[in-house]
Amino acid sequence: MKAAILGATGLVGQRFVELLKDHEWFKITSLTGSERSAGAIYRDAVNWRMDTGLKQSIAELTVQPTDPKRVDADIVFSALPAEEALKVEEDFAREGFAVVSNASAHRLDSDVPLMNPEANFGHLSLIDQQRRKRKWDGAIVTNPNCTTAVLTLSLKPIAMQFGLSNVVMSSMQAASGAGYPGVASLDIIDNVIPFINGEEEKVQQETQKILGDPGNSAVFKVSASCHRVPVIDGHTEAVFVQTEKPASTDDIARCMEGFTAEPQKLKLPTAPERPIVVKTEQDRPQPRFDRSEGHGMSVVVGRIRRDPVFSGVKYVALGHNTIRGAAGCAVLIAESMKSQGYI
Amino acid sequence: MKAAILGATGLVGQRFVELLKDHEWFKITSLTGSERSAGAIYRDAVNWRMDTGLKQSIAELTVQPTDPKRVDADIVFSALPAEEALKVEEDFAREGFAVVSNASAHRLDSDVPLMNPEANFGHLSLIDQQRRKRKWDGAIVTNPNCTTAVLTLSLKPIAMQFGLSNVVMSSMQAASGAGYPGVASLDIIDNVIPFINGEEEKVQQETQKILGDPGNSAVFKVSASCHRVPVIDGHTEAVFVQTEKPASTDDIARCMEGFTAEPQKLKLPTAPERPIVVKTEQDRPQPRFDRSEGHGMSVVVGRIRRDPVFSGVKYVALGHNTIRGAAGCAVLIAESMKSQGYI
Amino acid sequence: MKAAILGATGLVGQRFVELLKDHEWFKITSLTGSERSAGAIYRDAVNWRMDTGLKQSIAELTVQPTDPKRVDADIVFSALPAEEALKVEEDFAREGFAVVSNASAHRLDSDVPLMNPEANFGHLSLIDQQRRKRKWDGAIVTNPNCTTAVLTLSLKPIAMQFGLSNVVMSSMQAASGAGYPGVASLDIIDNVIPFINGEEEKVQQETQKILGDPGNSAVFKVSASCHRVPVIDGHTEAVFVQTEKPASTDDIARCMEGFTAEPQKLKLPTAPERPIVVKTEQDRPQPRFDRSEGHGMSVVVGRIRRDPVFSGVKYVALGHNTIRGAAGCAVLIAESMKSQGYI
Amino acid sequence: MKAAILGATGLVGQRFVELLKDHEWFKITSLTGSERSAGAIYRDAVNWRMDTGLKQSIAELTVQPTDPKRVDADIVFSALPAEEALKVEEDFAREGFAVVSNASAHRLDSDVPLMNPEANFGHLSLIDQQRRKRKWDGAIVTNPNCTTAVLTLSLKPIAMQFGLSNVVMSSMQAASGAGYPGVASLDIIDNVIPFINGEEEKVQQETQKILGDPGNSAVFKVSASCHRVPVIDGHTEAVFVQTEKPASTDDIARCMEGFTAEPQKLKLPTAPERPIVVKTEQDRPQPRFDRSEGHGMSVVVGRIRRDPVFSGVKYVALGHNTIRGAAGCAVLIAESMKSQGYI
C-alpha cells in the first residue's frame, strides 16, 4: 500500500520515514513539506536527526506541497503542526484519504477516534459514524499526545481488571517532544522547565477519552503536572492510582505483565510482543536504558508500590515519546485500520 | 560563639564551611574528618567543590578526629553519614554539646526536634524533654531531608490557613543531593533515575512530624515519588494538595507570599526575608534561575493551579537542596536555638 | 555619561544591560530593538536569561527603533547581528556617536580598532585615522570574537617577552556563544559539534590583528579548530605555542601571572585586578568553577607544560565568553576610550 | 575457541562480554573478577551498563578468581586495572595463555606488540621475539589507549602515502573512558575537565610505537592535550598534521577513504568494512550520531582543511572509545593473531 507523509521534514515526520522505510505493508510514495521545502529533494529539504541513516530511495523523493491533489496514497500520515492540520486533514479526508494524524487538532472531536491501539481498539468503529456524519469516504484518526500514550497504555490493564477512580501523574519529558530545534540548550542544561504549553490539559482530556467507551469519555479523574528535563528521548512518568476494586502491587504487576490486546492477537507488524514490560530492579525504568524496549513501542514500568494517599498503587512508567508517543503509535493505528478493512 | 563542623570534608560539610565563613554569630573553630583526613590541614584534606573560594583562615585549620574530647565549640554542626551519626552525635550531646545535625539518624526520635524553623519553630521545646529523658546537658536537633525541607516550607502556610488532608509529591532532584562523588555521570547524562534509597519514606514520615505538634505527627496523608535528574543543585517538586477547607489558587498564592514566621520576626541572620517567593511567570520556578533566591534559603513556588483530582491545588516548588535542604537549614536552626537560649 | 545599547534584547544585549546597570561612569538611557520590539517596554520585549534579576528602572525603559535620530547617548554599545551592524554602525558614527561594537562587521577594517584593551591599548590611535579618513566625528571600535578575546589575552605577555612564531588552538566553546535560542538541546546533549561557522577564520585573522601594530597584523601563524560542547558559559582553549626566544614553563607562568596593562594602571572600573589568573592545580581551569574569576573579565590559565612539537609550551586557557569575550570587553573598551578622551 | 575475560565486571569487561556474546570464532567460557566478585554468578556480580541486554547463558557463569589455574581458555582478554595487569598478565602468559590486554601495563615493553590492527598488523612478529626472550609459550599483546586508537587509525594512511613530520592533537573525551562509576556527575555537567592522568604521555608514546617499525618507534613528533567533556561514548579529536611530502586536502580525504588493511583483506569478523569513514557535511563527525559507525570499529573523519601553521592539514576524528578504543580493538587483535597462527 502506498503511504504519504504530510510534514515529512520535521522531527515526527522523520520518525515516520524511519519507521516506514522497510515496512512490510506500507511503502512511502509521497512526502510533503512547507512551501519552502516543496520542490526540493527530501535529502536537501530535511535536517536529518535520526540515529540511523536516511534510506537512499526515500532521500531522493521530491517534496510535494501539502495538497490532496498532489498526493497519491492509500494511507496518509500527518505530522503537521496543529494549526495547519485543522483544515488540511479535513481536505484530505474529504478527498477520500484515510489520514492518521499525530496532530492535536482533531483529537477531541467526538466522531474522531483518538487511539492507542492496545488501549481502545474498538474506537475504530467511530470511523463509520464519522463518515456518515461528515459525508466523506476518507477518515481522520488520531494518536494521543506523547505523554498520554505512555500513561494510557500503562493504565489500560488496571482499568480493565480493577477500575480507575483517580489518577495523578507527574512527567519528566524528553527534549525531543518539542520537535527540532525545539528546546534551547541554554534553557535545559542543568535545569528543569516545569511547563509545557497545553500539555496537562491534553493529558487529562485525552486519557479520559481513550479509556472511555467510543463517544463517551471515562469519568475517573486525572491530574497531570508536566515538566521538561535534560533527556534526549523517553518520557518518564510518576503515576499514582486509586482503583475501584482493591489491588495489591502484585496484582498490578501481574495484570500489566500479562497484558496483550488486539494488535498482538492480530500480529500487526508494529505491535510489540509485550506492550508493557515490568522491571523488578529497584531503579528502573530509566530513559537511556529502557526507551528502546520493543523497538520503542513498549511501555516499561517499574517501582510498583503502595500509595498511602489513595490506598492504591504508585509506579513509574517510561515510553519512547517519538515512537510509542507519536509516529510508532500512528503506524500501529494504520495497521489496525487495515486489519479491520478501513483502508 | 565557637562552631565545630563534624564531617567537614564532604559536600554538606563544605557547604557548612561556606555558610559559616563570615557568619555574624558563629566562628568556625573545629573541623573534624575521618581517620584518613585527621591530622591534615583542611585545604589538603578537602576536595573543595563550592563555587566560591575557600577562605584562607579556615583552609589552614587542622582536621581533627570526630571525638568530643578533641572539639572545643559552643555549637556543633554534623554533616556525618547516618550510620556514623547515630552513635557519635549522642556522644557529643552527652558531653554537653548542642548538636545540629543534617544526618537522618535521629530525625524520627520522638524527643528530637526535626526542624524547618519557619514551619515548626515551637518544636524547640522538645529539647527540654530530651534533656530530662536522656539526662544530658547537650542536645540533638536535626534538619529535614532536603526534599522534605522544600516541601514542608511550601505547605506550612496552607496547613495553617486551610488545613491539609492529602499531599502527593513527585520530585526531580539534583545530583548534589547524593554527595560527592555521588551520582556517576554515566548514570545521569541523558537520563533520569527514578529511585533514591529511603527518600520517599523519609519525605512521608518527616513531613508529618514537622507539620504536626511537638511529639505528635500530623495525620494528613503524604505520598512521594522521588527521582534524580541531570541538574547540579536545586530540587524541583510537583505538589498536589487536598485542603481541609476550600481554597482558591489566589488564596494559596496569597497565603504563601505573605508567609513569615519567627525566624523573620527575630531577624535571624540566615532567615530569608521571604521564606516563600511566588513566581507568576508560567514557566517558573527553574533550578538554574531560581535556586539562589534568598541566598538559597527561600523556596520558590510557581504554577499554582486547580487540581481536578483533589478539587484542591497543584503547584511546583523549588529549593536549594544543600542550603535550605541541608546546611543552611541547620544554621538557621542553630540561630533559632541561640535566640531561645538553648545554646 | 549616557549609554545606549543597540540590539538590547539578545543575549549579548542583556549582558550589556547587566554589566552597565550599576556602572560608575555609564548610565543606560536608551535601549534599541528590532521593529517587532520597538515601542514595547524592555521588560516585555526581552526574554531575560541572566542569572541576576532585571533592574526595575531599566526594565521600564521603552525599546526604541535602532535609529540614530531616536537615541540620546554619549556612548553606544552595539550588540547587533553582523549583517545589520555593517550599515547601522556607520550611520551612528556619521551622526557623531562613539560606537563600541560586539559585531564582526567592522573588525577587520584597517582603520577600525579591534581591541582587547590589555592586549592592544595603543590601537585606540586608529580612531584618529578613522575620523580623518571617514570624515566623521563619531567612531567605531570593536571587540574581538569571544574565542579570540580569551586567546589573545593569554598570548599577550608571551608575545611581549618571548615573541610568537606559531600558535595552534583547539577550542571547547559554550552554548551561550551562539546566542539565544542558539544551540538546540537535541544537538548538544551527549554530543560535541565540531564546527562553528566562520569562527576559525575569525580567530586566525583577529589574533594577528590584535597582536600586531596598529594597522599592521602580526606575522606569526595561527591555526584554530573550534568545537561546541555542552557547557552553558565559558570557552576552554587548548593552546600550543612556539616562541621566538626559548622560554621555560616557569618563565611562561611568571610572565602571565605578573601581567598587567593600561586598564589596570588606569584602574578602569571593569578592568580585573589580574587579567590572567594562573592555576597550579593539575585539573584546572574548568568552566563551571573558573568562569567567574575577576567577575568574568579574567582569563584563567592552567596546565602550562612543555610541548614536544614546537619545543615550546602548551597550556589550557578559559574565559567567560559573554563577559571577557563580548559585553565585558566592550565596556572595558569604552572605559579605555573615555580615559583617553575619545568620548 | 574458548575465551576468558579477566576483570569481566568493569566497563571494558562488560564491553568484551557484549562483543563476544555471539562471536563466530570465540565463545566465552570463563569470566574472572576481584576477590569480592569471585564465586558469585555474573548476573549478580556485575552492574550491567551496556545498552543491549545481558545474554542469559553468560549471565549464569560463575565468576572465577583471576588465577591461571582457574581459567580454561584458548585466548584471554584482559580488562584488568594497570597495576594488577602488570604481574597477572605475565602469570597467564607463563602458563601458556595468549593474553590480549586493554591494560597499559605492558604497552611500551619493547617485545610486546602494541596493536591497532589496520595500522600495524606486522607488529605481530614481535610475539616470536617475546616468546624467545621471555621463555614462555603464551603471549602478551596489547591494544592502545582509547585516544591513541582513534588517532593512529586516522594517521596511518597519511603516514603511508605522505609521511608524518609533526602531529598536534587536542581531544574531547567521553565519560565512559574513565570506567564506572568514573567521572562524577558533579564534575562534568556544564563543565570540561582539562586533565586525564597520564593520557597525554600515553598518546604521545603509543602513537610513535604503533606507527613505527616493530621494535622501533617512529621519529615524528606528537603533542597531545586531553580533555573530558559531557559525552557518554565517543572521543572527538582535533588533529593538526605536518606531512613530509605535500598533500592537498583532497589527497588526504582520498587516502583515508580508500584505506583498508590486512583485517579487511582477511575478512576478520570484527574488522569494519571501512576502517575510516570520511564525512563531507561541514559539521561532522559528532559523537552522538557517528560513534556507532562500523559497529563502533570505524573512525569517522570530517572537516579536512588546510592548516596554516604546518602548511599541512587539520581534521576532526571520532571513534568509539570502548569499542575501537578498547574491547573491539582487542577482539580484532585476537582475530589477527588467530589468522596468523599465534593462537
Side-chain angles (χ1 to χ4, degrees):
Chain A
M1 300 187 78
K2 291 177 286 185
I5 300 168
L6 311 185
T9 59
L11 214 54
V12 172
Q14 294 180 36
R15 193 62 87 176
F16 274 122
V17 170
E18 190 184 53
L19 293 174
L20 294 172
K21 68 172 194 276
D22 299 308
H23 195 276
E24 53 183 283
W25 294 357
F26 304 130
K27 182 179 154 60
I28 298 175
T29 52
S30 297
L31 301 173
T32 83
S34 62
E35 278 178 39
R36 209 169 39 78
S37 304
I41 68 163
Y42 186 60
R43 184 200 308 287
D44 299 333
V46 74
N47 178 2
W48 187 253
R49 307 308 301 162
M50 301 292 106
D51 287 348
T52 59
L54 173 55
K55 196 181 181 178
Q56 179 80 0
S57 59
I58 297 169
E60 288 168 6
L61 291 173
T62 300
V63 177
Q64 304 295 330
T66 305
D67 174 348
K69 310 288 187 211
R70 304 293 288 273
V71 164
D72 170 30
D74 302 300
I75 175 85
V76 169
F77 294 97
S78 166
L80 295 172
E83 323 76 64
E84 193 182 348
L86 191 61
K87 173 169 182 311
V88 170
E89 292 176 0
E90 295 190 4
D91 292 345
F92 274 82
R94 203 170 293 115
E95 291 291 321
F97 289 100
V99 179
V100 183
S101 173
N102 181 58
S104 62
H106 294 285
R107 283 187 197 144
L108 298 181
D109 292 1
S110 65
D111 60 348
V112 169
L114 170 61
M115 290 193 59
N116 197 4
E118 287 91 342
N120 64 342
F121 197 87
H123 284 211
L124 280 174
S125 64
L126 284 172
I127 297 173
D128 303 318
Q129 185 182 325
Q130 181 190 124
R131 285 175 171 168
R132 282 194 305 274
K133 184 171 155 197
R134 306 220 190 188
K135 300 186 172 49
W136 61 36
D137 296 328
I140 296 176
V141 183
T142 59
N143 66 256
N145 153 288
C146 47
T147 308
T148 307
V150 176
L151 179 63
T152 52
L153 184 46
S154 76
L155 287 173
K156 179 64 183 184
I158 308 178
M160 284 168 66
Q161 294 204 21
F162 304 101
L164 297 174
S165 300
N166 283 297
V167 175
V168 170
M169 191 280 299
S170 174
S171 71
M172 289 156 278
Q173 302 185 214
S176 62
Y180 183 86
V183 183
S185 55
L186 292 180
D187 284 337
I188 201 70
I189 292 177
D190 184 21
N191 208 16
V192 168
I193 307 173
F195 177 70
I196 301 171
N197 201 7
E199 191 86 348
E200 296 171 356
E201 293 72 17
K202 287 179 191 169
V203 171
Q204 295 172 180
Q205 295 171 328
E206 296 180 13
T207 297
Q208 291 174 320
K209 178 167 177 179
I210 292 170
L211 295 179
D213 293 324
N216 284 302
S217 284
V219 295
F220 63 87
K221 284 181 282 183
V222 186
S223 181
S225 191
C226 293
H227 319 87
R228 189 84 67 193
V229 294
V231 164
I232 304 265
D233 286 314
H235 285 1
T236 307
E237 305 181 7
V239 186
F240 306 76
V241 179
Q242 185 172 43
T243 52
E244 288 178 340
K245 294 180 224 159
S248 71
T249 55
D250 279 355
D251 290 338
I252 298 293
R254 252 192 310 265
C255 80
M256 285 178 162
E257 273 177 332
F259 175 68
T260 56
E262 285 80 355
Q264 282 71 39
K265 284 171 206 121
L266 297 165
K267 295 189 191 302
L268 300 181
T270 300
E273 201 178 319
R274 295 188 294 165
I276 303 176
V277 173
V278 177
K279 290 267 179 186
T280 55
E281 295 92 330
Q282 66 182 8
D283 62 351
R284 300 291 275 269
Q286 293 180 17
R288 206 164 87 244
F289 296 103
D290 296 314
R291 60 194 168 202
S292 298
E293 193 71 53
H295 300 284
M297 286 299 289
S298 296
V299 165
V300 183
V301 168
R303 303 206 68 225
I304 303 173
R305 57 212 193 283
R306 297 304 306 163
D307 172 71
V309 160
F310 291 124
S311 304
V313 294
K314 49 186 170 182
Y315 61 85
V316 177
L318 176 125
H320 198 298
N321 52 300
T322 70
I323 303 180
R324 169 58 71 172
C329 190
V331 172
L332 186 58
I333 291 169
E335 294 166 358
S336 302
M337 290 171 73
K338 182 176 178 313
S339 78
Q340 303 305 301
Y342 284 105
I343 50 177
Chain B
M1 300 187 82
K2 289 177 286 184
I5 300 169
L6 311 185
T9 59
L11 215 53
V12 172
Q14 292 179 37
R15 192 62 85 176
F16 274 123
V17 169
E18 191 184 52
L19 293 174
L20 294 172
K21 68 172 195 274
D22 299 308
H23 194 278
E24 53 184 282
W25 293 356
F26 305 129
K27 182 181 156 59
I28 298 175
T29 52
S30 297
L31 301 173
T32 84
S34 64
E35 280 179 36
R36 209 169 41 75
S37 303
I41 68 163
Y42 186 61
R43 182 199 309 286
D44 299 334
V46 74
N47 178 1
W48 186 253
R49 308 307 301 162
M50 300 294 106
D51 286 349
T52 59
L54 172 55
K55 194 181 181 179
Q56 178 80 0
S57 59
I58 296 168
E60 288 169 4
L61 290 174
T62 300
V63 176
Q64 302 296 330
T66 306
D67 175 349
K69 309 290 187 210
R70 305 292 290 271
V71 164
D72 170 30
D74 301 301
I75 176 85
V76 170
F77 294 97
S78 168
L80 295 172
E83 324 76 63
E84 194 182 348
L86 190 61
K87 174 169 181 310
V88 170
E89 292 176 0
E90 295 190 2
D91 292 345
F92 273 82
R94 204 170 293 116
E95 291 289 322
F97 289 100
V99 179
V100 182
S101 174
N102 182 59
S104 62
H106 294 285
R107 283 187 197 144
L108 298 181
D109 292 1
S110 65
D111 60 347
V112 169
L114 170 61
M115 290 192 60
N116 197 4
E118 285 91 343
N120 64 342
F121 198 85
H123 285 212
L124 279 174
S125 65
L126 284 172
I127 297 173
D128 303 318
Q129 187 182 324
Q130 180 189 122
R131 286 176 170 168
R132 281 195 305 275
K133 185 171 154 198
R134 307 220 189 187
K135 299 187 174 51
W136 60 34
D137 296 329
I140 297 177
V141 182
T142 59
N143 66 256
N145 151 290
C146 46
T147 309
T148 307
V150 176
L151 179 63
T152 52
L153 185 46
S154 76
L155 288 173
K156 180 63 183 183
I158 307 178
M160 283 168 66
Q161 294 203 22
F162 304 100
L164 298 173
S165 299
N166 283 297
V167 175
V168 170
M169 191 281 300
S170 175
S171 71
M172 289 157 279
Q173 301 185 215
S176 62
Y180 183 86
V183 182
S185 54
L186 292 179
D187 284 337
I188 201 70
I189 293 177
D190 184 20
N191 208 15
V192 168
I193 307 173
F195 178 68
I196 301 171
N197 202 7
E199 192 86 348
E200 295 171 357
E201 295 73 16
K202 286 179 192 169
V203 171
Q204 295 172 179
Q205 295 171 327
E206 296 179 12
T207 298
Q208 291 175 321
K209 178 166 177 180
I210 291 170
L211 296 179
D213 293 325
N216 285 301
S217 284
V219 295
F220 64 87
K221 284 182 279 182
V222 185
S223 182
S225 191
C226 293
H227 319 86
R228 188 85 65 194
V229 294
V231 164
I232 304 264
D233 287 312
H235 286 2
T236 307
E237 307 181 7
V239 186
F240 306 76
V241 180
Q242 184 172 43
T243 52
E244 289 179 337
K245 294 180 224 160
S248 70
T249 54
D250 278 356
D251 289 338
I252 298 293
R254 251 193 312 265
C255 82
M256 285 178 162
E257 272 177 333
F259 176 68
T260 56
E262 285 80 354
Q264 282 70 39
K265 285 173 207 120
L266 297 165
K267 296 188 188 305
L268 299 181
T270 300
E273 200 178 319
R274 294 189 294 166
I276 303 175
V277 173
V278 177
K279 290 268 180 186
T280 54
E281 296 91 330
Q282 67 182 7
D283 62 352
R284 299 291 276 269
Q286 294 181 17
R288 206 165 86 243
F289 296 104
D290 296 315
R291 60 194 168 203
S292 297
E293 192 73 52
H295 301 284
M297 287 298 291
S298 294
V299 164
V300 183
V301 168
R303 304 206 65 225
I304 303 173
R305 57 213 193 281
R306 296 305 305 164
D307 171 72
V309 160
F310 291 125
S311 305
V313 294
K314 49 185 171 183
Y315 60 85
V316 177
L318 177 126
H320 197 298
N321 53 300
T322 71
I323 302 181
R324 168 57 72 173
C329 190
V331 171
L332 186 58
I333 292 169
E335 294 166 358
S336 302
M337 291 170 73
K338 181 174 178 317
S339 79
Q340 303 305 301
Y342 283 104
I343 50 176
Chain C
M1 300 186 80
K2 289 177 285 184
I5 300 169
L6 311 185
T9 59
L11 214 53
V12 172
Q14 292 180 36
R15 193 62 84 176
F16 274 122
V17 170
E18 192 184 50
L19 293 174
L20 294 172
K21 68 174 196 275
D22 299 309
H23 194 277
E24 52 185 284
W25 294 358
F26 305 129
K27 182 180 155 59
I28 298 174
T29 52
S30 296
L31 301 173
T32 83
S34 62
E35 279 180 37
R36 208 171 40 77
S37 303
I41 68 162
Y42 186 62
R43 183 199 310 285
D44 299 334
V46 73
N47 178 1
W48 186 252
R49 308 307 301 161
M50 301 293 106
D51 286 349
T52 59
L54 173 54
K55 196 180 180 178
Q56 179 80 0
S57 59
I58 297 168
E60 289 169 5
L61 289 174
T62 299
V63 177
Q64 302 295 330
T66 305
D67 175 348
K69 311 287 187 211
R70 305 292 289 271
V71 163
D72 170 29
D74 302 299
I75 175 85
V76 170
F77 294 97
S78 166
L80 295 172
E83 325 76 65
E84 193 181 349
L86 191 62
K87 173 168 182 311
V88 170
E89 292 176 1
E90 294 190 4
D91 292 346
F92 274 81
R94 204 170 293 117
E95 291 289 321
F97 290 99
V99 179
V100 182
S101 173
N102 182 58
S104 62
H106 294 285
R107 283 188 197 144
L108 298 181
D109 292 2
S110 63
D111 60 346
V112 169
L114 170 61
M115 289 193 60
N116 198 4
E118 286 91 342
N120 65 342
F121 197 85
H123 285 210
L124 280 175
S125 64
L126 285 172
I127 298 174
D128 302 318
Q129 185 182 324
Q130 181 189 122
R131 286 176 172 168
R132 281 194 306 272
K133 183 171 155 197
R134 307 217 189 191
K135 299 187 174 51
W136 60 34
D137 297 328
I140 298 177
V141 182
T142 60
N143 65 254
N145 152 288
C146 46
T147 309
T148 307
V150 175
L151 178 64
T152 52
L153 186 45
S154 76
L155 288 173
K156 179 64 182 182
I158 308 178
M160 284 169 66
Q161 295 203 21
F162 304 101
L164 298 173
S165 299
N166 283 297
V167 175
V168 170
M169 192 280 300
S170 174
S171 71
M172 289 157 278
Q173 301 186 215
S176 61
Y180 183 85
V183 183
S185 55
L186 292 180
D187 284 336
I188 201 69
I189 292 177
D190 185 20
N191 208 14
V192 168
I193 307 173
F195 178 70
I196 301 170
N197 201 6
E199 191 87 348
E200 297 171 357
E201 293 73 17
K202 285 180 192 168
V203 171
Q204 296 172 179
Q205 296 171 325
E206 295 180 11
T207 297
Q208 291 175 320
K209 177 167 178 178
I210 291 170
L211 295 179
D213 293 324
N216 285 300
S217 284
V219 294
F220 64 87
K221 286 182 278 183
V222 186
S223 181
S225 191
C226 293
H227 318 87
R228 189 85 65 195
V229 295
V231 164
I232 304 266
D233 286 314
H235 286 2
T236 307
E237 307 182 8
V239 186
F240 306 75
V241 180
Q242 186 173 41
T243 52
E244 290 179 335
K245 292 181 225 159
S248 71
T249 53
D250 278 356
D251 289 339
I252 298 293
R254 252 192 311 265
C255 82
M256 286 178 161
E257 272 176 334
F259 176 68
T260 56
E262 284 81 355
Q264 283 70 39
K265 284 172 206 119
L266 296 166
K267 295 188 188 306
L268 300 181
T270 300
E273 200 178 321
R274 294 189 293 166
I276 304 176
V277 173
V278 178
K279 289 269 179 185
T280 55
E281 296 90 331
Q282 66 182 7
D283 62 351
R284 300 293 275 268
Q286 294 181 17
R288 206 166 85 243
F289 296 104
D290 295 315
R291 61 194 166 202
S292 298
E293 191 74 50
H295 301 285
M297 286 299 289
S298 296
V299 164
V300 183
V301 169
R303 303 206 66 227
I304 303 174
R305 58 213 193 282
R306 296 305 305 163
D307 171 71
V309 160
F310 291 125
S311 304
V313 294
K314 48 187 170 182
Y315 61 84
V316 177
L318 177 126
H320 197 297
N321 53 299
T322 70
I323 302 180
R324 168 59 72 171
C329 189
V331 172
L332 185 58
I333 291 169
E335 294 166 359
S336 302
M337 291 170 73
K338 180 173 179 315
S339 78
Q340 303 304 301
Y342 284 105
I343 50 177
Chain D
M1 300 187 78
K2 290 176 287 186
I5 300 168
L6 311 185
T9 58
L11 214 55
V12 172
Q14 293 179 36
R15 193 61 86 175
F16 274 121
V17 170
E18 192 184 52
L19 293 174
L20 295 172
K21 68 172 196 276
D22 299 309
H23 194 276
E24 51 184 284
W25 294 357
F26 305 129
K27 184 180 153 61
I28 297 174
T29 52
S30 296
L31 301 173
T32 83
S34 62
E35 279 179 38
R36 210 169 40 77
S37 303
I41 68 163
Y42 185 61
R43 183 200 308 286
D44 299 335
V46 74
N47 178 1
W48 186 253
R49 307 307 299 162
M50 301 293 105
D51 286 349
T52 60
L54 172 55
K55 195 181 182 179
Q56 179 81 1
S57 60
I58 296 168
E60 288 168 5
L61 290 174
T62 300
V63 177
Q64 302 297 329
T66 305
D67 175 348
K69 311 290 186 207
R70 305 294 288 273
V71 163
D72 171 30
D74 301 300
I75 176 84
V76 170
F77 294 97
S78 166
L80 296 173
E83 324 77 62
E84 194 181 348
L86 189 63
K87 175 172 180 308
V88 170
E89 293 176 0
E90 295 190 3
D91 293 345
F92 274 81
R94 203 170 293 117
E95 291 289 322
F97 290 99
V99 179
V100 183
S101 173
N102 182 58
S104 62
H106 294 285
R107 282 186 198 147
L108 298 181
D109 293 1
S110 64
D111 60 348
V112 169
L114 170 62
M115 290 193 59
N116 197 3
E118 286 90 343
N120 63 343
F121 198 83
H123 284 212
L124 280 174
S125 65
L126 283 172
I127 298 174
D128 303 318
Q129 185 183 324
Q130 180 190 123
R131 285 176 173 168
R132 281 194 306 274
K133 183 170 155 197
R134 306 217 190 189
K135 302 186 171 46
W136 60 34
D137 297 328
I140 298 176
V141 182
T142 59
N143 66 256
N145 152 288
C146 46
T147 308
T148 307
V150 176
L151 178 63
T152 53
L153 186 46
S154 75
L155 287 174
K156 179 64 183 182
I158 307 178
M160 283 168 67
Q161 295 203 22
F162 304 101
L164 297 173
S165 300
N166 284 296
V167 175
V168 170
M169 192 279 299
S170 174
S171 71
M172 289 156 278
Q173 303 186 212
S176 62
Y180 183 84
V183 183
S185 55
L186 292 180
D187 283 337
I188 201 70
I189 293 176
D190 184 20
N191 208 14
V192 168
I193 307 174
F195 178 70
I196 302 172
N197 201 6
E199 192 86 349
E200 296 171 357
E201 293 73 17
K202 287 179 191 169
V203 171
Q204 295 173 180
Q205 295 172 327
E206 296 180 12
T207 297
Q208 291 175 320
K209 178 168 178 178
I210 291 170
L211 295 179
D213 294 324
N216 285 302
S217 284
V219 294
F220 64 85
K221 285 181 279 182
V222 186
S223 181
S225 191
C226 293
H227 320 86
R228 189 83 68 196
V229 294
V231 165
I232 305 266
D233 286 314
H235 286 1
T236 307
E237 307 181 9
V239 186
F240 305 76
V241 180
Q242 185 173 39
T243 51
E244 289 179 338
K245 294 181 225 158
S248 71
T249 54
D250 279 356
D251 290 338
I252 298 293
R254 254 194 310 266
C255 80
M256 284 179 162
E257 271 176 334
F259 176 68
T260 57
E262 285 80 355
Q264 283 70 39
K265 286 172 204 120
L266 297 165
K267 295 190 190 303
L268 299 182
T270 300
E273 200 178 321
R274 293 189 294 165
I276 303 177
V277 173
V278 177
K279 291 267 180 187
T280 54
E281 296 91 329
Q282 66 182 8
D283 62 351
R284 299 292 275 268
Q286 294 181 18
R288 206 165 85 241
F289 296 104
D290 296 315
R291 60 193 168 204
S292 298
E293 192 72 51
H295 301 284
M297 286 299 289
S298 296
V299 164
V300 183
V301 168
R303 303 207 67 227
I304 303 175
R305 58 212 193 284
R306 297 305 305 161
D307 171 71
V309 160
F310 292 125
S311 302
V313 294
K314 49 186 171 182
Y315 60 85
V316 177
L318 177 126
H320 197 297
N321 53 299
T322 71
I323 303 181
R324 168 57 73 173
C329 190
V331 172
L332 186 57
I333 292 170
E335 295 166 0
S336 302
M337 290 171 73
K338 181 173 178 317
S339 78
Q340 303 304 300
Y342 283 105
I343 50 175

